[in-house]
């Protein structure tokens, strides 16, 4: 690349990067004298590229995002970024629909998600292991201009959650029209998915633009299931009954969603630009739970003196499989004004509000303790997450007589985060008269939210920062950042970041960062409890398990203590090189230490002497007693050049990531399950390689993906079972034809060779073939066709 004095500015950052300026920066797509794309994440300098950044940043274009067959942005990022993993989690309650995604092997809520540089709200779902992260599927990919992924600790720049890094979705702001339609299906003949999207951008003269996007996605269920052995035995003993085959389905859920976005800005007067943007989604889905065997589920089919002569065998003679349903909605709205008060003074004032709402339902079920008075379908309750942010950001460029002016930024942020649990139908949490005789209370499969669980909790925080950036000489970059925040739930914290970049040779640079970080526990993690039902994989008996608030009396009696913020220290060192003939490469080594890491305690049997109205067989609670160290390396190589009659684009990316539990208190160290989850649940080796070749109107894309070995964990009423899985390689291919300037047709396949992993032996007696915790799709090959229009 040709280096520019103006683009080699060095950052001396003493505070949070005010993300509000990211929108202003994204208005310029390229540098003044280069075709290289400007990066706006992880830096506040307006002329910085991927080569110039102090920390590694991946840039994914809209074309790359739409190269995946999936309509879920999680899947797309997992295919393109080796350090990004996402699980399918069929039949895993709400996680079947809001799937946890991780960066660099850390927890899902240790990666901060931004839209146009503004914090995106969390999902209302609190995952099984306690993470509460944003739902990336809520953002329509067709409305995204590009995604920037900062792979470095950035709490000092952005605040809570940015321990692993930052994912910044930059909405498209260019005038024009585009539309697409896509259909896909798995080789096995199921999982048909239909997608469509429309984007319209209008220029507001020379003063601004407004872009609207709409996207629709309907995905049918998949099933990779065998008939359960106990179902086969029951059928043989009861030939007069007709059992479904299989009695329960393991696979992706039926799901439908519609999403949209808007992105607008207009120059009001000289030095003042009004901007507004937002996203919204609404959808629903359904998935199967475990089949209830009439011959083995005494808590449902057992005789009860409370209901003489009654048996649920009359209602469900062949057993039943509860159907867990969800209706969800998200929206985020941001508005503000930004501009230049002078050549040296910039400002950005903004307000944002986000909300996630999830309603749960359960069909084809019952509350056994109510006997003949039990309904067969239930409304289970509502989860709601609300977030409100106020931001004020200012920048002054101060001449100092040496090198470029010092960028002096200052400002503040106020956040309010609220979580609410709404009750379900009374029958969904009722303990009826049959409970005294051994019949299970609550809606069978997923107990509804009771008044004891319901409530509303809030947390407030304020933050202030100062930020300095400076370029004393062209070849050396120094940086520092600092941020102070005060939270109503646990007090204040201060984080900082130091960075440096040195380019001794044209096109080759070394970079180094050190930062501290934190993640504040959310109101949901601090206050809520959850009741889940499972099926013991040995006894095939349904059991109740409770995940309790750390302040719950049972949890306190078992050793729970109030939650604290997670704190981190991150060191990243790397080399970056770029040539004038299309070859670029980066190598970054990192170490992330997290103290008081958030997790779930060991599972405890509930003593008979405890008050236990929910009839838990076992309970756990959230804790942050673990200390972990994550070490890894990211290697990225790219090449783009004319080769023969066409143009070739080649990219290779590899991530090695290893987490080790370094300490904690005696109780947490003894929690072998949580330790192994931290250390082994995700592959340590991940890689992806893409080869694209364009020749005239025809383009060909080949992609290979490799996932290393990992460990599965399956919960039982009395403990956990583990299984180790080896590495797997998957391959994708597609061919596109530009029929006209406006019309493109593309056809392709993902998992081209229909590769499946090893079978999950610990769950075979439930009919499941492949692990539901796999960090990749286990449904086999999938083919698709796509039509695109652009004007």
């Amino acid at each position: 690349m040709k280096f520019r004095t103006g683009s080699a500015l060095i950052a001396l950052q003493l505070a949070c990067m005010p993300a509000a300026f990211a929108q202003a920066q994204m208005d310029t797509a390229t540098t003044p004298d280069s075709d290289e794309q400007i990066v706006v994440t992880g830096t506040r300098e307006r002329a910085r590229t991927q080569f110039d950044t102090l920390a590694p940043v991946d840039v994914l274009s809209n074309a790359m995002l739409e190269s995946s067959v999936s309509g879920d942005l999680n899947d797309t990022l997992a295919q393109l970024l080796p350090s990004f993993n996402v699980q399918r989690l069929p039949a895993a309650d709400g996680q079947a629909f809001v799937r946890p995604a991780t960066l660099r092997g850390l927890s899902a809520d240790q990666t901060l998600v931004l839209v146009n540089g503004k914090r995106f709200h969390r999902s209302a779902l609190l995952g099984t292991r306690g993470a509460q992260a944003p739902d990336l599927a809520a953002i329509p990919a067709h409305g995204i201009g590009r995604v920037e992924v900062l792979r470095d600790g950035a709490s000092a720049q952005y605040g809570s959650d940015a321990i692993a890094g930052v994912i910044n979705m930059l909405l498209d702001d260019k005038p024009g029209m585009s539309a697409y339609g896509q259909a896909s299906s798995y080789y096995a003949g199921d999982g048909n998915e239909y997608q469509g999207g429309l984007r319209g951008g209008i220029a507001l003269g020379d003063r601004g633009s407004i872009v609207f996007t709409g996207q629709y996605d309907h995905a049918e269920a998949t099933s990779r299931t065998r008939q359960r052995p106990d179902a086969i035995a029951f059928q043989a003993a009861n030939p007069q009954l007709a059992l479904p085959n299989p009695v329960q389905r393991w696979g992706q859920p039926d799901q439908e969603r519609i999403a949209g976005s808007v992105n607008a800005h207009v120059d009001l007067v000289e030095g003042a630009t009004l901007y507004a943007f937002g996203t919204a989604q609404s959808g629903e889905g359904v998935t199967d739970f475990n089949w209830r065997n009439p011959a083995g589920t005494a808590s449902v089919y057992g005789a009860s003196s409370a209901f003489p002569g009654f048996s649920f065998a009359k209602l469900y003679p062949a057993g039943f499989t509860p159907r867990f349903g969800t209706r969800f909605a998200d929206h985020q709205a941001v508005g503000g004004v930004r501009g230049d008060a002078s050549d040296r003074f910039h400002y950005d004032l903004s307000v944002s509000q986000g909300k996630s709402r999830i309603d749960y339902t359960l069909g084809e079920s019952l509350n056994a303790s109510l006997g003949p008075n039990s309904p067969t379908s239930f409304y289970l309750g509502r989860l709601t997450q609300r977030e409100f942010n106020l931001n004020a950001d200012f920048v002054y460029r101060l001449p100092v007589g040496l090198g470029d002016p010092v960028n002096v930024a200052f400002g503040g942020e106020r956040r309010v985060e609220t979580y609410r649990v709404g009750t379900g139908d009374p029958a969904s949490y009722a303990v009826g008269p049959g409970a005294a005789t051994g019949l299970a209370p609550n809606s069978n499969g997923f107990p509804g939210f009771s008044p004891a669980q319901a409530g509303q909790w809030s947390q407030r925080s304020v933050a202030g920062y100062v930020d300095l950036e400076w370029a004393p000489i062209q070849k050396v970059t120094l940086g520092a950042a600092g941020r102070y925040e005060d939270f109503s739930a646990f007090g204040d914290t201060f984080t900082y970041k130091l960075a440096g970049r040195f380019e001794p040779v044209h096109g080759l640079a070394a970079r180094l960062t050190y930062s501290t970080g934190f993640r504040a526990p959310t109101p949901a993690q601090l206050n809520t409890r959850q009741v889940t039902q499972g099926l013991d994989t040995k006894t095939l008996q349904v059991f109740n398990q409770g995940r309790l608030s750390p302040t719950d009396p049972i949890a306190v009696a078992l050793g729970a203590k109030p939650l604290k913020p997670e704190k981190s220290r991150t060191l990243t060192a790397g080399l970056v090189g770029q040539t004038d003939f299309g070859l670029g490469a980066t190598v970054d080594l990192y170490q992330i230490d997290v103290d008081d890491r958030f997790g779930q305690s060991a599972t405890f049997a509930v003593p008979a002497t405890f008050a236990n109205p929910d009839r838990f067989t076992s309970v756990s609670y959230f804790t942050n007693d673990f200390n972990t160290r994550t070490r890894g390396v990211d290697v990225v190589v790219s090449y783009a050049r004319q080769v023969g009659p066409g143009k070739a684009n080649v990219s290779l990316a590899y991530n090695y990531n290893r987490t080790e539990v370094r300490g904690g208190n005696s109780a947490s160290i003894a929690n072998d399950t949580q330790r192994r989850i931290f250390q082994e649940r995700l592959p340590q080796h991940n890689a992806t390689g893409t080869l694209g070749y364009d020749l005239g109107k025809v383009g060909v894309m080949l992609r290979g993906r490799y996932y290393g070995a990992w460990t599965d964990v399956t919960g039982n009423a009395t403990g956990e079972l583990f299984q180790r899985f080896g590495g797997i390689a998957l391959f994708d291919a597609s061919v596109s034809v530009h029929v006209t300037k406006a019309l493109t047709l593309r056809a392709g396949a993902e998992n081209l060779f229909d590769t499946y992993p090893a079978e999950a032996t610990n769950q075979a007696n439930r009919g499941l073939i492949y692990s539901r915790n796999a960090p990749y799709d286990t449904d086999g090959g999938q083919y698709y066709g796509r039509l695109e229009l652009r004007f």
Side-chain angles (χ1 to χ4, degrees), residues 497-567:
K497 183 170 185 176
L498 305 172
R501 182 181 181 278
F502 176 54
E503 186 183 2
V505 179
H506 173 67
L508 178 65
R511 56 194 181 195
L512 178 71
T513 70
Y514 177 82
S515 63
T516 62
F518 76 103
R519 190 199 65 82
T522 69
Q525 293 166 340
L526 289 166
N527 299 286
T528 63
R529 69 196 304 240
Q530 185 178 32
V531 183
T532 59
Q533 288 183 344
L535 190 75
D536 191 293
T537 57
K538 291 183 178 179
T539 66
L540 295 181
Q541 294 298 307
V542 176
F543 62 90
N544 266 17
Q545 186 171 28
R547 194 275 301 147
L548 307 179
S549 161
T551 58
D552 186 281
I554 294 179
V556 172
L558 294 172
K561 293 180 172 55
L563 292 178
K564 300 177 289 185
E566 297 172 303
K567 295 184 179 180

Side-chain angles (χ1 to χ4, degrees), residues 22 27 98 130 210 267 329 340 358 396 412 514 537 543 630 677 726 741:
D27 292 340
V98 181
I210 182 169
D267 297 333
D340 299 337
I358 302 175
Y396 180 73
Y514 177 82
T537 57
F543 62 90
T630 299
I677 287 172
K741 187 176 181 180

Side-chain angles (χ1 to χ4, degrees), residues 477-515:
T477 300
L478 301 173
R483 182 183 181 92
Y484 172 84
E485 289 201 48
D486 185 77
F487 287 79
S488 60
F490 60 84
D492 59 359
T493 184
F494 177 79
T495 56
Y496 65 89
K497 183 170 185 176
L498 305 172
R501 182 181 181 278
F502 176 54
E503 186 183 2
V505 179
H506 173 67
L508 178 65
R511 56 194 181 195
L512 178 71
T513 70
Y514 177 82
S515 63

